[in-house]
Amino acid sequence: MTKLRVHNLAVSLDGFATGEGQSFETPFGHAQHRLMQWFFPTRTFVSMSGHEDEAVGAGTRGVDDAFAAATGDRIGVEIMGRRKFGPQLGPWEDESWRGWWGEEPPFHTPVVVLTHHERPDLVVGETTFLFRDLSAVDALSFATSLADGLDIRLGGGPTTVRQFLEADLVDHLHVVVVPILLGRGVRLWDGLEGLEERFTVEVTASPSGVVHYVFARKPQ
Amino acid sequence: MTKLRVHNLAVSLDGFATGEGQSFETPFGHAQHRLMQWFFPTRTFVSMSGHEDEAVGAGTRGVDDAFAAATGDRIGVEIMGRRKFGPQLGPWEDESWRGWWGEEPPFHTPVVVLTHHERPDLVVGETTFLFRDLSAVDALSFATSLADGLDIRLGGGPTTVRQFLEADLVDHLHVVVVPILLGRGVRLWDGLEGLEERFTVEVTASPSGVVHYVFARKPQ
């Protein structure tokens, strides 16, 4: 049974999953990299980023890494919102933008990019970006057809995750609360009153100062 | 040195410290008692509420109780907003309302109630309520003059706490994040971007599912 999973979705203590003012230079707006500081020291990140010290097993192996490492486990496809792919709004002025991730993106699977402005499929390294104008339900069906029996990662951003939560399509939601106050940006939790009734919730505080929330959907 | 301390300020995961629709029947609006469920089993609460099982030492003594018990330690006076005292708005229609707490409120100290509509001092049991129209700075001075060298508790609600945080008057802030989504009500964190820069932050997850945040103001 294919599940829809969210991993490592970081929010500030005041609930913002991204800051204000996204641009090519600042994918997270004024939040900059502060929401992901907990992630950078982990073994998982160090391995992904291909640092030469990877070979010597660098990086932490504590609770933050345990959660980080689960991100890619048995994932066959990712769904993301257009704002995770790039900062552009409206029709594509050109199609030269190939995402934030360089020539070998970390996905290595099909990635469904939800957008009202479709464009041709884009192959970058081992990743294929598929630009589709689909509802949450239809996107999940399409992604399931591509997943080869594995799970689907819902990669963000917050507006996209909220849409899938509102439609009650998310099976596993891992949120990382970072002890900073961003004050402005895009909120994750708006419009989700009573969400906890549909999930069991497990909470773990990390020595790094972040708190890991795991929402697991109750059997229906 | 008298310090200004906030204890046991509970907020939902989406940042609401009280729900929508406060009334005489529902002091926390639609949140009802859900923000304080973690508190009721503690030894501290059981003792306060004067249950007959107090004598046998009932109540939990875990991390939630450890935080709850610190609430009254060396407190000489409390400051609260008018909405903590009662649900009325505007001029007092009559002065028959004596607070939510019956004939022996749990304060046992002077309590400064901040309101634009002053009324005569009110003695209830061992507690005296002093209704004053003061700025945050002036309220702190007034409370300090009453505190007899002890500390001052800033008792809420969220709007009042936010005012004192904006004015950088709070020395100790204990917030309890409850894993529910209220969706609406009064937010604690609005307008406090960058608050963490002025504080050290310690985070503890409780087996009850709540997370205790302690903000301690950095030496100036």
Side-chain angles (χ1 to χ4, degrees), chain B residues 133-187:
Chain B
D133 186 6
L134 295 170
S135 69
V137 168
D138 291 342
L140 182 56
S141 296
F142 177 54
T144 301
S145 74
L146 300 171
D148 201 19
L150 300 174
D151 285 349
I152 300 162
R153 187 194 306 111
L154 182 58
T159 306
T160 300
V161 171
R162 209 187 309 131
Q163 286 168 351
F164 281 78
L165 286 170
E166 286 170 356
D168 196 19
L169 299 176
V170 176
D171 297 294
H172 173 96
L173 172 65
H174 168 227
V175 173
V176 185
V177 177
V178 180
I180 62 175
L181 298 182
L182 287 176
R184 53 209 160 95
V186 182
R187 291 189 193 273

Short mmCIF file of all heavy atoms in Angstrom, two decimals, chain B residues 133-187:
data_model
loop_
_atom_site.label_atom_id
_atom_site.label_comp_id
_atom_site.label_asym_id
_atom_site.label_seq_id
_atom_site.Cartn_x
_atom_site.Cartn_y
_atom_site.Cartn_z
N ASP B 133 -4.82 51.40 35.21
CA ASP B 133 -4.62 51.76 33.80
C ASP B 133 -3.16 52.21 33.65
O ASP B 133 -2.85 53.38 33.84
CB ASP B 133 -5.58 52.88 33.42
CG ASP B 133 -5.52 53.22 31.92
OD1 ASP B 133 -4.81 52.50 31.18
OD2 ASP B 133 -6.18 54.19 31.52
N LEU B 134 -2.28 51.26 33.35
CA LEU B 134 -0.84 51.54 33.33
C LEU B 134 -0.20 50.95 32.09
O LEU B 134 -0.63 49.90 31.59
CB LEU B 134 -0.16 50.91 34.57
CG LEU B 134 -0.55 51.45 35.95
CD1 LEU B 134 0.03 50.57 37.04
CD2 LEU B 134 -0.07 52.89 36.11
N SER B 135 0.87 51.59 31.62
CA SER B 135 1.69 50.98 30.57
C SER B 135 2.43 49.78 31.16
O SER B 135 2.48 49.60 32.38
CB SER B 135 2.71 52.01 30.06
OG SER B 135 3.67 52.26 31.07
N ALA B 136 3.07 49.00 30.28
CA ALA B 136 3.83 47.85 30.77
C ALA B 136 4.95 48.31 31.71
O ALA B 136 5.14 47.74 32.79
CB ALA B 136 4.40 47.07 29.58
N VAL B 137 5.66 49.33 31.31
CA VAL B 137 6.78 49.81 32.14
C VAL B 137 6.27 50.29 33.51
O VAL B 137 6.83 49.92 34.56
CB VAL B 137 7.53 50.96 31.42
CG1 VAL B 137 8.49 51.66 32.37
CG2 VAL B 137 8.29 50.41 30.21
N ASP B 138 5.20 51.06 33.49
CA ASP B 138 4.68 51.59 34.76
C ASP B 138 4.06 50.48 35.62
O ASP B 138 4.15 50.52 36.85
CB ASP B 138 3.67 52.70 34.50
CG ASP B 138 4.34 53.95 33.93
OD1 ASP B 138 5.57 54.07 34.07
OD2 ASP B 138 3.63 54.79 33.35
N ALA B 139 3.45 49.51 34.97
CA ALA B 139 2.89 48.40 35.73
C ALA B 139 4.00 47.62 36.42
O ALA B 139 3.85 47.19 37.57
CB ALA B 139 2.10 47.48 34.79
N LEU B 140 5.12 47.45 35.73
CA LEU B 140 6.24 46.74 36.34
C LEU B 140 6.80 47.51 37.54
O LEU B 140 7.09 46.93 38.59
CB LEU B 140 7.34 46.50 35.30
CG LEU B 140 8.57 45.73 35.77
CD1 LEU B 140 8.18 44.38 36.36
CD2 LEU B 140 9.56 45.55 34.63
N SER B 141 6.90 48.83 37.41
CA SER B 141 7.37 49.63 38.54
C SER B 141 6.42 49.52 39.73
O SER B 141 6.84 49.32 40.87
CB SER B 141 7.47 51.11 38.14
OG SER B 141 8.44 51.28 37.15
N PHE B 142 5.13 49.64 39.43
CA PHE B 142 4.12 49.56 40.49
C PHE B 142 4.18 48.18 41.18
O PHE B 142 4.20 48.08 42.41
CB PHE B 142 2.74 49.83 39.90
CG PHE B 142 1.61 49.72 40.86
CD1 PHE B 142 1.60 50.43 42.06
CD2 PHE B 142 0.52 48.90 40.57
CE1 PHE B 142 0.53 50.33 42.95
CE2 PHE B 142 -0.55 48.80 41.45
CZ PHE B 142 -0.55 49.50 42.65
N ALA B 143 4.25 47.13 40.36
CA ALA B 143 4.28 45.78 40.93
C ALA B 143 5.55 45.57 41.76
O ALA B 143 5.53 44.94 42.82
CB ALA B 143 4.19 44.75 39.82
N THR B 144 6.65 46.12 41.27
CA THR B 144 7.91 45.97 42.02
C THR B 144 7.79 46.61 43.40
O THR B 144 8.29 46.07 44.39
CB THR B 144 9.07 46.61 41.22
OG1 THR B 144 9.16 45.97 39.94
CG2 THR B 144 10.40 46.45 41.95
N SER B 145 7.08 47.74 43.47
CA SER B 145 6.92 48.41 44.77
C SER B 145 6.09 47.57 45.74
O SER B 145 6.15 47.78 46.95
CB SER B 145 6.27 49.78 44.56
OG SER B 145 4.88 49.64 44.26
N LEU B 146 5.31 46.63 45.20
CA LEU B 146 4.46 45.78 46.04
C LEU B 146 5.09 44.42 46.33
O LEU B 146 4.56 43.65 47.13
CB LEU B 146 3.12 45.53 45.33
CG LEU B 146 2.25 46.74 44.98
CD1 LEU B 146 1.09 46.31 44.09
CD2 LEU B 146 1.73 47.41 46.25
N ALA B 147 6.20 44.11 45.66
CA ALA B 147 6.68 42.72 45.63
C ALA B 147 7.52 42.34 46.84
O ALA B 147 7.85 41.16 47.02
CB ALA B 147 7.47 42.47 44.35
N ASP B 148 7.90 43.32 47.64
CA ASP B 148 8.63 43.03 48.87
C ASP B 148 9.92 42.25 48.57
O ASP B 148 10.28 41.33 49.32
CB ASP B 148 7.73 42.25 49.83
CG ASP B 148 8.21 42.35 51.28
OD1 ASP B 148 8.99 43.28 51.60
OD2 ASP B 148 7.83 41.47 52.08
N GLY B 149 10.56 42.58 47.48
CA GLY B 149 11.83 41.95 47.15
C GLY B 149 11.71 40.60 46.46
O GLY B 149 12.72 40.03 46.03
N LEU B 150 10.49 40.11 46.35
CA LEU B 150 10.29 38.84 45.64
C LEU B 150 10.10 39.12 44.15
O LEU B 150 10.16 40.26 43.71
CB LEU B 150 9.08 38.11 46.22
CG LEU B 150 9.19 37.77 47.73
CD1 LEU B 150 7.88 37.18 48.25
CD2 LEU B 150 10.35 36.81 47.97
N ASP B 151 9.85 38.05 43.37
CA ASP B 151 9.64 38.22 41.93
C ASP B 151 8.18 38.53 41.61
O ASP B 151 7.30 38.43 42.47
CB ASP B 151 10.07 36.96 41.18
CG ASP B 151 11.59 36.82 41.10
OD1 ASP B 151 12.30 37.79 41.44
OD2 ASP B 151 12.06 35.74 40.69
N ILE B 152 7.97 38.89 40.35
CA ILE B 152 6.62 39.20 39.86
C ILE B 152 6.24 38.18 38.81
O ILE B 152 7.02 37.92 37.89
CB ILE B 152 6.60 40.61 39.25
CG1 ILE B 152 7.01 41.65 40.30
CG2 ILE B 152 5.22 40.93 38.67
CD1 ILE B 152 7.42 42.98 39.71
N ARG B 153 5.07 37.61 38.96
CA ARG B 153 4.57 36.71 37.93
C ARG B 153 3.71 37.50 36.95
O ARG B 153 2.81 38.25 37.37
CB ARG B 153 3.72 35.59 38.54
CG ARG B 153 3.32 34.53 37.52
CD ARG B 153 2.20 33.62 38.02
NE ARG B 153 2.51 33.01 39.28
CZ ARG B 153 1.90 33.28 40.44
NH1 ARG B 153 0.91 34.15 40.49
NH2 ARG B 153 2.26 32.69 41.55
N LEU B 154 4.00 37.34 35.68
CA LEU B 154 3.15 37.91 34.63
C LEU B 154 2.20 36.79 34.21
O LEU B 154 2.62 35.81 33.58
CB LEU B 154 4.01 38.39 33.47
CG LEU B 154 3.30 39.06 32.29
CD1 LEU B 154 2.51 40.27 32.74
CD2 LEU B 154 4.30 39.43 31.21
N GLY B 155 0.93 36.93 34.59
CA GLY B 155 0.02 35.79 34.55
C GLY B 155 -0.75 35.60 33.26
O GLY B 155 -1.52 34.66 33.14
N GLY B 156 -0.57 36.49 32.30
CA GLY B 156 -1.33 36.39 31.04
C GLY B 156 -2.44 37.40 31.05
O GLY B 156 -2.48 38.26 31.93
N GLY B 157 -3.34 37.31 30.04
CA GLY B 157 -3.31 36.41 28.89
C GLY B 157 -2.26 36.75 27.87
O GLY B 157 -1.38 37.59 28.11
N PRO B 158 -2.37 36.12 26.71
CA PRO B 158 -1.35 36.25 25.68
C PRO B 158 -1.11 37.68 25.20
O PRO B 158 0.03 38.05 24.93
CB PRO B 158 -1.88 35.37 24.54
CG PRO B 158 -3.32 35.13 24.84
CD PRO B 158 -3.47 35.20 26.34
N THR B 159 -2.16 38.46 25.11
CA THR B 159 -1.99 39.85 24.63
C THR B 159 -1.13 40.64 25.61
O THR B 159 -0.24 41.40 25.21
CB THR B 159 -3.36 40.52 24.47
OG1 THR B 159 -4.18 39.70 23.64
CG2 THR B 159 -3.22 41.89 23.84
N THR B 160 -1.36 40.42 26.88
CA THR B 160 -0.58 41.10 27.93
C THR B 160 0.87 40.63 27.91
O THR B 160 1.80 41.44 27.96
CB THR B 160 -1.23 40.83 29.30
OG1 THR B 160 -2.57 41.32 29.27
CG2 THR B 160 -0.45 41.51 30.40
N VAL B 161 1.08 39.33 27.81
CA VAL B 161 2.45 38.81 27.78
C VAL B 161 3.20 39.37 26.57
O VAL B 161 4.37 39.77 26.66
CB VAL B 161 2.45 37.27 27.77
CG1 VAL B 161 3.86 36.73 27.53
CG2 VAL B 161 1.92 36.73 29.09
N ARG B 162 2.51 39.42 25.45
CA ARG B 162 3.15 39.95 24.24
C ARG B 162 3.59 41.40 24.42
O ARG B 162 4.67 41.80 23.99
CB ARG B 162 2.18 39.83 23.07
CG ARG B 162 2.86 39.65 21.75
CD ARG B 162 1.88 39.71 20.59
NE ARG B 162 0.74 38.85 20.73
CZ ARG B 162 -0.52 39.23 20.55
NH1 ARG B 162 -0.78 40.49 20.21
NH2 ARG B 162 -1.50 38.38 20.71
N GLN B 163 2.75 42.20 25.09
CA GLN B 163 3.11 43.60 25.33
C GLN B 163 4.39 43.72 26.15
O GLN B 163 5.26 44.53 25.85
CB GLN B 163 1.97 44.32 26.05
CG GLN B 163 0.78 44.64 25.16
CD GLN B 163 -0.45 45.08 25.94
OE1 GLN B 163 -0.47 44.99 27.17
NE2 GLN B 163 -1.47 45.54 25.24
N PHE B 164 4.51 42.89 27.17
CA PHE B 164 5.70 42.96 28.02
C PHE B 164 6.93 42.40 27.29
O PHE B 164 8.05 42.88 27.50
CB PHE B 164 5.46 42.20 29.33
CG PHE B 164 4.65 43.00 30.33
CD1 PHE B 164 3.26 43.12 30.20
CD2 PHE B 164 5.26 43.65 31.39
CE1 PHE B 164 2.51 43.86 31.11
CE2 PHE B 164 4.52 44.39 32.31
CZ PHE B 164 3.14 44.50 32.16
N LEU B 165 6.72 41.41 26.43
CA LEU B 165 7.84 40.91 25.62
C LEU B 165 8.30 41.96 24.61
O LEU B 165 9.50 42.16 24.42
CB LEU B 165 7.44 39.62 24.90
CG LEU B 165 7.34 38.36 25.77
CD1 LEU B 165 6.69 37.22 24.97
CD2 LEU B 165 8.71 37.92 26.28
N GLU B 166 7.35 42.64 24.00
CA GLU B 166 7.72 43.70 23.05
C GLU B 166 8.53 44.79 23.73
O GLU B 166 9.45 45.36 23.13
CB GLU B 166 6.45 44.28 22.41
CG GLU B 166 5.82 43.35 21.38
CD GLU B 166 4.43 43.84 20.93
OE1 GLU B 166 3.95 44.85 21.47
OE2 GLU B 166 3.85 43.18 20.04
N ALA B 167 8.20 45.07 24.98
CA ALA B 167 8.92 46.11 25.72
C ALA B 167 10.20 45.57 26.37
O ALA B 167 10.89 46.30 27.08
CB ALA B 167 8.00 46.70 26.79
N ASP B 168 10.50 44.29 26.12
CA ASP B 168 11.70 43.63 26.65
C ASP B 168 11.78 43.70 28.18
O ASP B 168 12.83 44.00 28.75
CB ASP B 168 12.97 44.24 26.03
CG ASP B 168 14.19 43.33 26.24
OD1 ASP B 168 14.00 42.13 26.53
OD2 ASP B 168 15.32 43.83 26.14
N LEU B 169 10.69 43.40 28.82
CA LEU B 169 10.63 43.47 30.28
C LEU B 169 10.61 42.09 30.94
O LEU B 169 10.65 42.01 32.16
CB LEU B 169 9.38 44.24 30.71
CG LEU B 169 9.30 45.70 30.24
CD1 LEU B 169 7.97 46.31 30.64
CD2 LEU B 169 10.46 46.51 30.81
N VAL B 170 10.54 41.03 30.14
CA VAL B 170 10.36 39.69 30.69
C VAL B 170 11.72 39.02 30.89
O VAL B 170 12.53 38.97 29.97
CB VAL B 170 9.47 38.83 29.77
CG1 VAL B 170 9.36 37.40 30.29
CG2 VAL B 170 8.09 39.47 29.62
N ASP B 171 11.96 38.49 32.09
CA ASP B 171 13.23 37.82 32.38
C ASP B 171 13.16 36.31 32.14
O ASP B 171 14.15 35.71 31.75
CB ASP B 171 13.60 38.05 33.85
CG ASP B 171 13.83 39.53 34.14
OD1 ASP B 171 14.81 40.08 33.60
OD2 ASP B 171 13.03 40.13 34.89
N HIS B 172 12.00 35.72 32.40
CA HIS B 172 11.84 34.26 32.34
C HIS B 172 10.49 33.97 31.70
O HIS B 172 9.46 34.46 32.17
CB HIS B 172 11.90 33.69 33.76
CG HIS B 172 11.59 32.23 33.86
ND1 HIS B 172 12.56 31.24 33.87
CD2 HIS B 172 10.41 31.56 33.95
CE1 HIS B 172 11.98 30.04 33.97
NE2 HIS B 172 10.69 30.21 34.02
N LEU B 173 10.53 33.16 30.64
CA LEU B 173 9.29 32.85 29.92
C LEU B 173 9.19 31.34 29.75
O LEU B 173 9.99 30.74 29.04
CB LEU B 173 9.31 33.53 28.55
CG LEU B 173 8.19 33.17 27.56
CD1 LEU B 173 6.83 33.61 28.07
CD2 LEU B 173 8.49 33.78 26.18
N HIS B 174 8.23 30.75 30.42
CA HIS B 174 7.99 29.30 30.31
C HIS B 174 6.71 29.09 29.50
O HIS B 174 5.62 29.46 29.94
CB HIS B 174 7.85 28.69 31.71
CG HIS B 174 7.33 27.28 31.71
ND1 HIS B 174 6.32 26.85 32.54
CD2 HIS B 174 7.67 26.20 30.96
CE1 HIS B 174 6.07 25.57 32.31
NE2 HIS B 174 6.87 25.15 31.36
N VAL B 175 6.88 28.52 28.32
CA VAL B 175 5.75 28.27 27.42
C VAL B 175 5.60 26.77 27.24
O VAL B 175 6.59 26.05 27.08
CB VAL B 175 5.97 28.96 26.05
CG1 VAL B 175 4.89 28.57 25.06
CG2 VAL B 175 5.99 30.48 26.22
N VAL B 176 4.38 26.31 27.25
CA VAL B 176 4.07 24.88 27.10
C VAL B 176 3.33 24.70 25.78
O VAL B 176 2.22 25.21 25.62
CB VAL B 176 3.20 24.38 28.26
CG1 VAL B 176 2.99 22.88 28.17
CG2 VAL B 176 3.81 24.77 29.61
N VAL B 177 3.97 24.01 24.85
CA VAL B 177 3.32 23.81 23.55
C VAL B 177 2.56 22.48 23.57
O VAL B 177 3.13 21.42 23.81
CB VAL B 177 4.35 23.82 22.40
CG1 VAL B 177 3.65 23.53 21.06
CG2 VAL B 177 5.05 25.18 22.34
N VAL B 178 1.26 22.59 23.32
CA VAL B 178 0.35 21.45 23.39
C VAL B 178 0.08 20.97 21.97
O VAL B 178 -0.22 21.80 21.10
CB VAL B 178 -0.96 21.88 24.09
CG1 VAL B 178 -1.94 20.72 24.18
CG2 VAL B 178 -0.66 22.46 25.48
N PRO B 179 0.19 19.66 21.71
CA PRO B 179 0.10 19.17 20.33
C PRO B 179 -1.32 19.08 19.80
O PRO B 179 -1.80 18.02 19.42
CB PRO B 179 0.77 17.79 20.41
CG PRO B 179 0.47 17.33 21.80
CD PRO B 179 0.49 18.57 22.66
N ILE B 180 -1.99 20.23 19.79
CA ILE B 180 -3.32 20.34 19.17
C ILE B 180 -3.31 21.58 18.28
O ILE B 180 -2.50 22.49 18.48
CB ILE B 180 -4.45 20.47 20.22
CG1 ILE B 180 -4.28 21.74 21.07
CG2 ILE B 180 -4.47 19.23 21.12
CD1 ILE B 180 -5.44 22.00 22.04
N LEU B 181 -4.21 21.60 17.31
CA LEU B 181 -4.35 22.75 16.43
C LEU B 181 -5.70 23.42 16.69
O LEU B 181 -6.75 22.84 16.37
CB LEU B 181 -4.23 22.33 14.96
CG LEU B 181 -2.88 21.70 14.56
CD1 LEU B 181 -2.88 21.38 13.06
CD2 LEU B 181 -1.73 22.62 14.89
N LEU B 182 -5.67 24.61 17.27
CA LEU B 182 -6.91 25.31 17.61
C LEU B 182 -7.49 26.06 16.41
O LEU B 182 -8.69 26.29 16.34
CB LEU B 182 -6.67 26.29 18.75
CG LEU B 182 -6.48 25.64 20.12
CD1 LEU B 182 -6.16 26.70 21.17
CD2 LEU B 182 -7.73 24.85 20.54
N GLY B 183 -6.63 26.49 15.50
CA GLY B 183 -7.13 27.12 14.28
C GLY B 183 -7.53 28.58 14.41
O GLY B 183 -7.50 29.31 13.42
N ARG B 184 -7.93 29.00 15.60
CA ARG B 184 -8.40 30.38 15.80
C ARG B 184 -8.32 30.73 17.27
O ARG B 184 -8.30 29.83 18.12
CB ARG B 184 -9.84 30.54 15.28
CG ARG B 184 -10.77 29.49 15.86
CD ARG B 184 -11.94 29.16 14.90
NE ARG B 184 -12.51 27.87 15.27
CZ ARG B 184 -13.58 27.73 16.08
NH1 ARG B 184 -14.22 28.79 16.55
NH2 ARG B 184 -14.03 26.54 16.42
N GLY B 185 -8.27 32.03 17.53
CA GLY B 185 -8.14 32.49 18.91
C GLY B 185 -7.12 33.61 18.97
O GLY B 185 -6.93 34.35 18.00
N VAL B 186 -6.45 33.73 20.10
CA VAL B 186 -5.47 34.79 20.31
C VAL B 186 -4.08 34.18 20.24
O VAL B 186 -3.74 33.28 21.00
CB VAL B 186 -5.67 35.49 21.67
CG1 VAL B 186 -4.66 36.61 21.86
CG2 VAL B 186 -7.10 36.01 21.80
N ARG B 187 -3.26 34.71 19.32
CA ARG B 187 -1.90 34.18 19.13
C ARG B 187 -0.95 34.79 20.15
O ARG B 187 -1.04 35.98 20.47
CB ARG B 187 -1.40 34.54 17.73
CG ARG B 187 -2.09 33.83 16.60
CD ARG B 187 -1.34 34.12 15.30
NE ARG B 187 -2.07 33.75 14.12
CZ ARG B 187 -2.04 32.53 13.57
NH1 ARG B 187 -1.31 31.57 14.11
NH2 ARG B 187 -2.74 32.26 12.49
#
